[in-house]
Amino acid sequence: MGTAVDTQNMENGRKVTVIFVLGGPGSGKGTQCANIVQNFGFTHLSAGDLLRAEIKSGSENGTMIQSMIKEGKIVPSEVTVKLLQLAMQESGNDKFLIDGFPRNEENRETFESVTGIEPEFVLFFDCPEEEMEKRLLTRNQGREDDNLETIKKRFKVYMESSLPVVAYYSLKDKVRKIDAAKQAEAVFEDVKAIFNSTTEEHVASEDCLTLSNTKMP
C-alpha cells in the first residue's frame, strides 16, 4: 500500500494500534481478550458481536444482514469492516483487539484497503484440534453448535479460511504465536510477555524519535 495513512495507522485523525486475535474455536481467545482488556487498556471488538448488535438494532443495514444470514449467504466484507471502523471511531480509545477477524483473505484485504490500517501484529492462539474439541464438548454454555458434527465443520472452515491469513502475516513477521493448549493462567503469562515487550519497543522507538528531533546546542 505504502501511503502515509497506511504506515501511520491513522483512523479519524488518531494514530491507532490494531491487533488481530485469531485461533480455532475453543482455543481460549475470549478469556484472554478479557484479560488483555483489563491489564493493557485495549478495547475488545468482535465482528460477530457487532453484526448481531446491528441486527438487533432493527436498522435497514441490520435487516439486510439478517436476511443474508437466513439465506445462508456470506455477509460482504465491506459491511463487517464498516461496522468495525464505526466502533473504533466511536470508542474514544486508540488501542483495539479485533477478535476472530479477519476470517479469510478477503476480510483481510478489505479491512486494510477500507481503513488504511495494518495490524501491529496477529495474536495467534495455537491449539491442537483434539484439545479444542474436548473444551467445546465439556463447556457448559448451552450452545447448540457445541456438538461433535458441527464442531468438526467449524474446524474445517477455520483451517481452510483463517490459517491463510496467519500465513500471510507470518511472512511479514507480524504473528505472535501462543501455545494455547496450556492452562489459562499460563497462557496469559505468555500473552503478558508479548504485550510488555511491545510496549517497551514503542517507548524505545518514541525515545529515539525524540532524540532525533532534538537540536543540539
Side-chain angles (χ1 to χ4, degrees):
M1 293 183 289
T3 69
V5 172
D6 295 336
T7 56
Q8 294 178 37
N9 275 10
M10 300 298 292
E11 172 63 35
N12 208 29
R14 299 172 298 163
K15 188 176 188 301
V16 301
T17 299
V18 168
I19 294 170
F20 290 148
V21 183
L22 296 177
S27 62
K29 298 191 311 295
T31 298
Q32 299 305 328
C33 281
N35 288 335
I36 295 165
V37 167
Q38 185 174 355
N39 287 268
F40 295 99
F42 278 75
T43 293
H44 177 210
L45 299 177
S46 160
D49 287 349
L50 289 172
L51 287 169
R52 284 186 284 273
E54 189 70 13
I55 291 170
K56 194 175 179 180
S57 75
S59 69
E60 186 177 335
N61 196 36
T63 303
M64 179 270 292
I65 293 169
Q66 187 173 35
S67 296
M68 294 195 73
I69 292 173
K70 278 185 177 178
E71 292 169 14
K73 297 177 181 177
I74 296 173
V75 177
S77 294
E78 290 83 357
V79 172
T80 306
V81 170
K82 288 290 186 184
L83 289 175
L84 285 166
Q85 190 175 32
L86 182 61
M88 289 167 66
Q89 290 170 352
E90 291 179 343
S91 78
N93 200 352
D94 58 2
K95 300 189 296 184
F96 302 95
L97 293 175
I98 299 186
D99 177 12
F101 183 93
R103 288 183 178 273
N104 52 45
E105 276 287 273
E106 187 199 4
N107 279 176
R108 178 194 66 74
E109 291 171 0
T110 303
F111 182 87
E112 291 189 2
S113 64
V114 169
T115 67
I117 294 171
E118 287 191 17
E120 181 84 5
F121 58 84
V122 175
L123 192 62
F124 174 46
F125 290 95
D126 189 24
C127 193
E129 184 173 330
E130 298 77 20
E131 177 63 23
M132 291 190 286
E133 181 180 304
K134 184 174 73 175
R135 291 176 182 178
L136 291 173
L137 288 172
T138 55
R139 72 184 184 185
N140 186 24
Q141 295 185 355
R143 284 183 55 161
E144 294 178 8
D145 56 353
D146 283 351
N147 62 72
L148 189 56
E149 182 182 353
T150 309
I151 286 169
K152 293 284 189 187
K153 288 179 182 175
R154 290 167 67 197
F155 284 147
K156 186 172 185 292
V157 170
Y158 161 70
M159 295 290 288
E160 291 175 352
S161 302
S162 296
L163 288 186
V165 176
V166 175
Y168 171 85
Y169 285 118
S170 289
L171 292 174
K172 302 179 70 122
D173 195 28
K174 281 180 174 274
V175 174
R176 307 292 180 264
K177 187 161 77 168
I178 296 284
D179 178 2
K182 297 189 285 188
Q183 293 294 317
E185 295 80 5
V187 171
F188 188 55
E189 288 302 314
D190 293 342
V191 169
K192 279 198 295 187
I194 289 171
F195 277 80
N196 286 332
S197 172
T198 303
T199 301
E200 289 167 6
E201 287 172 10
H202 280 174
V203 170
S205 64
E206 287 172 6
D207 287 347
C208 287
L209 184 61
T210 301
L211 284 171
S212 66
N213 291 333
T214 302
K215 293 181 180 179
M216 299 297 289

